[in-house]
Amino acid sequence: MTGNQVLFLIDGIRINNSAFSRFGPNQYLNTVDPFLLADIEVVRGPNSLLYGSDALGGVIAMTSKSRQSYEPGTHGNAEGVFRFGSAALETTFSLRGEGNSGPWGAVGGALFTHFDDLRGGRDTGVQTPTGYSAYAADLKVSYRIDERHTLTAAYQLHNLDDVPRTDRVTSGRNLVYEFDPQRRQLGYLRWDAKMDGALEEVHAALSYQVQEEGRTEVRSNAPDTVRQYDDKVDTAGLFAHASTSAGSHRITFGGDLYHDDVSSARTDYTGGVPEEKDGRFPDGATYLQGGVFVQDEWRATEDWRFLLGLRW
């Protein structure tokens, strides 16, 4: 399964929202700076118990970099990356830094990248249109209360400009089809704890995410009309989950709640004259989703493991 049947997570927070309507492959994973990430976990198959129905085709769970060393005093380091790729005349600059002052730690960075149209090998030639530009910035500040408890506040921005939908142009359906901008902003406050006693781990987060998507479209059968879409989804989110062990059982339980506010507009320009029309979604629409779950991971023997669970 692809598209809106695969769930994207960043630091446990959903990137997917109610406007992820495409069943085919989509571009939303490209709104995450790869230099931001510490690791990516790909979980195959249905994961609706833990994450909800749009995890039916699997989960791509990304974890951003965090400060790991909290030595006494003040410490820091930085790194820069410049990359050039001949296949698309890619130019990428990434600058990242991290440090700590006692129990306070910070990680941050910035990215700029530009791709020209892809150059295919042998007789393929230049594949037009495939080029676009992007920039990103992020900052994560953590306070290590003690060795077991950490509070984290983070902000992420990723913006892509003039991103073509190549298949619609090369098929002849459109003369122009571009996403401009494709922008995601995320801020969150998170608490992570490791405990002794009945609960072993607790994780909870409050988040607010804004995803904006502008589209410019010129259809081949209406070359004199420029159609522009402007969609924005504001998502407030909350999740909390905990885990404990009892013998051969590991029990995870918790819940999540996400609320979307959708803004959507469309303007057609025919001969330069604007005409307002309905957008792709009902303007002012809202969407609420949430659930509670419990999962028991039972290691019955060395060779047999059972997952038992329920989500409402």
Side-chain angles (χ1 to χ4, degrees):
M1 294 184 174
T2 58
N4 59 5
Q5 297 162 326
V6 176
L7 178 62
F8 301 150
L9 299 173
I10 179 77
D11 294 335
I13 297 163
R14 304 167 60 90
I15 293 179
N16 297 43
N17 59 42
S18 55
F20 276 32
S21 55
R22 287 190 62 195
F23 286 101
N26 61 50
Q27 72 277 18
Y28 299 107
L29 191 61
N30 204 30
T31 63
V32 178
D33 176 6
F35 293 96
L36 164 73
L37 300 179
D39 60 66
I40 303 174
E41 180 184 9
V42 178
V43 186
R44 300 182 181 184
N47 282 270
S48 300
L49 174 65
L50 295 179
Y51 301 110
S53 59
D54 52 359
L56 188 63
V59 177
I60 299 177
M62 296 163 282
T63 303
S64 63
K65 295 176 181 176
S66 299
R67 180 65 176 177
Q68 300 297 317
S69 174
Y70 287 86
E71 302 175 52
T74 300
H75 308 272
N77 58 279
E79 66 177 15
V81 174
F82 169 74
R83 184 170 69 196
F84 174 78
S86 60
L89 301 183
E90 173 201 354
T91 305
T92 294
F93 298 91
S94 175
L95 181 64
R96 302 201 60 81
E98 66 170 284
N100 76 288
S101 180
W104 290 92
V107 175
L111 168 80
F112 172 79
T113 187
H114 175 76
F115 298 92
D116 203 347
D117 288 336
L118 285 166
R119 274 84 176 150
R122 297 191 179 183
D123 299 326
T124 303
V126 178
Q127 301 175 61
T128 303
T130 51
Y132 66 93
S133 299
Y135 63 84
D138 64 90
L139 178 64
K140 178 190 282 189
V141 178
S142 300
Y143 178 64
R144 196 180 190 190
I145 302 171
D146 54 40
E147 290 185 356
R148 295 178 175 272
H149 299 79
T150 303
L151 282 174
T152 302
Y155 171 77
Q156 300 170 10
L157 163 68
H158 200 105
N159 184 91
L160 300 97
D161 294 316
D162 302 322
V163 184
R165 184 167 169 184
T166 308
D167 63 316
R168 293 283 288 267
V169 177
T170 57
S171 68
R173 181 175 176 181
N174 286 82
L175 299 175
V176 175
Y177 198 119
E178 289 184 339
F179 296 92
D180 184 32
Q182 184 83 54
R183 182 182 300 125
R184 183 184 64 86
Q185 298 182 77
L186 169 65
Y188 68 81
L189 180 65
R190 176 170 170 145
W191 173 50
D192 297 281
K194 294 183 178 180
M195 302 179 176
D196 290 326
L199 296 180
E200 295 179 356
E201 293 186 13
V202 178
H203 307 277
L206 286 168
S207 62
Y208 194 84
Q209 187 164 235
V210 180
Q211 297 202 50
E212 300 172 73
E213 185 174 272
R215 302 186 186 205
T216 299
E217 181 181 356
V218 179
R219 294 190 174 182
S220 299
N221 59 3
D224 297 329
T225 299
V226 178
R227 180 176 298 170
Q228 292 187 335
Y229 295 94
D230 184 13
D231 301 321
K232 183 165 77 78
V233 181
D234 296 73
T235 305
L238 164 69
F239 81 80
H241 61 258
S243 59
T244 186
S245 295
S248 59
H249 297 265
R250 180 170 179 81
I251 299 171
T252 303
F253 61 93
D256 50 65
L257 188 68
Y258 290 88
H259 182 272
D260 291 350
D261 285 302
V262 181
S263 302
S264 186
R266 169 184 157 190
T267 306
D268 288 358
Y269 295 87
T270 303
V273 179
E275 181 182 0
E276 302 298 327
K277 294 192 174 183
D278 291 336
R280 298 173 61 242
F281 308 101
D283 187 40
T286 61
Y287 184 84
L288 179 68
Q289 66 171 326
V292 291
F293 68 89
V294 59
Q295 174 180 278
D296 179 11
E297 182 178 345
W298 174 31
R299 292 195 173 273
T301 69
E302 288 283 333
D303 301 319
W304 289 90
R305 180 173 65 102
F306 297 92
L307 288 176
L308 313 172
L310 180 68
R311 181 181 181 92
W312 176 84

